[in-house]
Amino acid sequence: RAADNLRGIDGVNALLQYSDLDPPEAFNEESDAHDDDRDKGTVFGSGWSSRGGTIIPQSKVLEINAKGQRRQMRTDYASILQQLQLSVRDLRMLRSNAAEIVVHASRVVFDLGELKGCIFKDRVVLLEAQRQAAQALESALLEHIRSHRPPNGTGFALSAFEVVLEESTCAVEMAFSRLRRAIDKVLPVLTNPSSRDAARMAALSRLLPLENALSSLRLRVRRVNAILEQLLESEDDIDSLCAVSSGGKACGEPEYALCEIAIEAYSSRLEALADEIDSLTDSIATARNSLEIALDTERNRMARVELLASLVSLPLASIGAVAGIFGMNLTSGMEEAAHAFVAVTTATVLVSFAAFAVCWRRYHAHGVRQGRQVLDAQAVKGALRLMDTVHHITRQGKGKPGMALREILEAHGVRVNNDRELAFLEAMFQGCY
């Protein structure tokens, strides 16, 4: 905690003392000719530098001022900490993987995943500028400076902050658009009953990574939106953003409102995007449920076919057992009986089909009981829905003595779906009318 309060060289020395590193050197400005003269084992050739026996990763840094002038350099985070006069807390935030925006009185430090850097009153410093997202942000900043250059540099920090938010928001919106197109191609295959099993399995295998990517995008959007909402709720952060934008001058109500409107606009876009992601997630869940229902229906159909085959095989097996017993090459005394064959055959067939009829009836009765249970559940649900209405009617005593509950409800325009629902209502309100 004490290290968080250090600034400048003191903060660098404290950080390096903790990490057993030597004090950092100043920025080394980069040029194409200088890069060619570097050996492969140096900072520019390998992207790493060695200090005190410890390897420090190098980062490409790009600085753009309010006039549109740019300067590239390559250095490590310790030098960045010294040169930009950042705090150790800012350095830890920039090196972490979590999205964060910290507003100070003289700068805005942002880490939005692939976009990292600092915004000052007259310049923007982009870290890890070798990334494609940082290069796109560079082009957007230069285009914005050329077309909307503020007079005397005032308001540059707020404009640059809006460009950063615009690039970050557009990036997640485009990522969601691509994911939605890919998912929309997969979902119909899963929900189409005429799709083959091989096609469904292929679509399901493609859906799993798409769903994981959508979940990651949702967490990213929610995180950035939460950061913007925290900025809106903090008056100190808005005041600091106004101070950075105005170059340390006192901000009036219009400047304060402008900062709030800028942040709230992107927060609303991210909130709407999060809602769309949730809606698409619900569509995926619905498709999964439909697929599970289809598979359950198929399994139930196969189970019914197996059950019918078992019921049919029962009489056939009985007939085969009797035929096997009487077909043995053993003397039983019935070989010369006149009507033995007819009697045995008739009895075997009758007993077999009687057993089949008993089994079929029990199976059918079980299905009827299940259907009644479903109807009872629906009737209870409807009765609970009408319970408050019936309570108010019976409490006011609007029915005539001796009137049935059905007549009372019909007199007040309350519709009951079926007799089961009415029976549950009568059971609940027995003696109240």
Side-chain angles (χ1 to χ4, degrees):
R1 287 194 297 269
D4 290 340
N5 298 323
L6 298 177
R7 296 293 187 270
I9 301 299
D10 295 335
V12 176
N13 293 333
L15 178 65
L16 299 181
Q17 182 180 4
Y18 178 77
S19 59
D20 297 330
L21 299 178
D22 295 332
E25 301 174 356
F27 275 153
N28 293 320
E29 187 169 357
E30 180 183 304
S31 64
D32 296 337
H34 195 54
D35 288 346
D36 296 337
D37 295 335
R38 291 283 182 173
D39 294 330
K40 295 184 178 179
T42 60
V43 172
F44 297 97
S46 62
W48 299 80
S49 66
S50 177
R51 292 179 179 168
T54 304
I55 296 178
I56 306 174
Q58 294 290 316
S59 174
K60 182 179 179 181
V61 180
L62 177 65
E63 180 183 283
I64 302 175
N65 59 20
K67 297 180 180 180
Q69 299 173 348
R70 54 193 300 275
R71 182 167 67 104
Q72 293 185 7
M73 59 201 77
R74 190 180 292 271
T75 183
D76 54 50
Y77 276 95
S79 299
I80 293 172
L81 183 68
Q82 177 186 5
Q83 189 75 8
L84 299 181
Q85 297 295 306
L86 303 179
S87 65
V88 180
R89 178 174 178 265
D90 294 337
L91 179 62
R92 286 202 302 266
M93 185 201 78
L94 291 172
R95 298 188 66 177
S96 66
N97 295 324
E100 189 64 60
I101 297 176
V102 179
V103 182
H104 300 282
S106 60
R107 64 189 179 276
V108 178
V109 184
F110 62 91
D111 183 354
L112 300 177
E114 294 186 351
L115 298 178
K116 298 182 180 183
C118 304
I119 301 175
F120 298 90
K121 65 177 181 179
D122 57 350
R123 69 188 190 279
V124 178
V125 178
L126 301 180
L127 306 181
E128 300 182 8
Q130 68 274 9
R131 296 184 175 184
Q132 294 295 330
Q135 295 176 9
L137 177 59
E138 174 192 355
S139 301
L141 281 171
L142 294 175
E143 179 65 26
H144 182 80
I145 291 173
R146 284 193 295 267
S147 58
H148 303 85
R149 179 175 296 179
N152 300 325
T154 58
F156 171 77
L158 180 59
S159 299
F161 186 57
E162 289 186 31
V163 174
V164 171
L165 294 180
E166 177 68 23
E167 287 297 314
S168 178
T169 305
C170 288
V172 293
E173 287 176 345
M174 293 301 296
F176 172 71
S177 178
R178 291 189 294 268
L179 284 175
R180 182 170 57 184
R181 287 196 297 268
I183 292 174
D184 288 342
K185 294 180 180 179
V186 174
L187 291 183
V189 180
L190 294 176
T191 56
N192 190 2
S194 61
S195 299
R196 297 181 178 180
D197 294 339
R200 286 185 176 180
M201 292 301 298
L204 186 60
S205 63
R206 291 194 298 269
L207 181 63
L208 292 177
L210 292 174
E211 190 174 5
N212 292 334
L214 185 64
S215 179
S216 300
L217 182 63
R218 179 181 179 276
L219 293 177
R220 178 182 172 186
V221 171
R222 289 294 186 186
R223 175 62 180 168
V224 177
N225 187 38
I227 294 172
L228 296 182
E229 289 180 352
Q230 290 176 1
L231 291 179
L232 289 174
E233 294 174 358
S234 176
E235 295 181 358
D236 295 336
D237 290 339
I238 300 297
D239 290 335
S240 299
L241 182 59
C242 289
V244 176
S245 180
S246 61
K249 300 179 182 178
C251 298
E253 187 65 25
E255 292 81 5
Y256 189 92
L258 186 62
C259 293
E260 280 191 332
I261 292 173
I263 297 176
E264 189 174 0
Y266 292 100
S267 177
S268 300
R269 286 175 60 179
L270 291 175
E271 185 67 28
L273 180 60
D275 292 339
E276 293 183 6
I277 294 176
D278 292 338
S279 177
L280 185 57
T281 304
D282 293 339
S283 300
I284 295 175
T286 302
R288 286 184 177 276
N289 293 334
S290 301
L291 180 60
E292 291 178 358
I293 291 174
L295 294 177
D296 290 340
T297 303
E298 186 68 18
R299 283 193 293 266
N300 293 335
R301 187 184 66 83
M302 295 177 64
R304 285 195 297 269
V305 172
E306 291 178 357
L307 180 60
L308 290 176
S310 299
L311 293 177
V312 172
S313 64
L314 176 62
L316 297 178
S318 301
I319 294 174
V322 173
I325 292 173
F326 286 93
M328 292 187 293
N329 295 324
L330 298 175
T331 304
S332 61
M334 298 181 63
E335 292 82 2
E336 302 299 332
H339 304 288
F341 176 79
V342 177
V344 170
T345 303
T346 303
T348 302
V349 172
L350 292 178
V351 171
S352 300
F353 280 97
F356 173 79
V358 170
C359 294
W360 174 259
R361 185 172 181 180
R362 291 178 63 87
Y363 167 73
H364 183 69
H366 179 70
V368 172
R369 284 196 301 269
Q370 287 184 336
R372 289 176 180 175
Q373 292 174 358
V374 173
L375 294 177
D376 288 341
Q378 294 177 352
V380 170
K381 183 178 179 181
L384 293 175
R385 178 176 54 84
L386 297 175
M387 185 173 60
D388 292 338
T389 303
V390 177
H391 168 71
H392 292 302
I393 294 175
T394 56
R395 185 178 179 183
Q396 295 175 6
K398 294 183 178 181
K400 297 181 180 180
M403 290 181 63
L405 181 60
R406 181 189 293 273
E407 297 175 355
I408 296 175
L409 297 178
E410 290 178 354
H412 291 85
V414 179
R415 181 176 175 272
V416 181
N417 293 327
N418 48 53
D419 294 336
R420 292 177 181 272
E421 189 173 314
L422 181 63
F424 282 113
L425 287 173
E426 290 176 347
M428 287 188 289
F429 291 94
Q430 188 174 7
C432 297
Y433 54 92

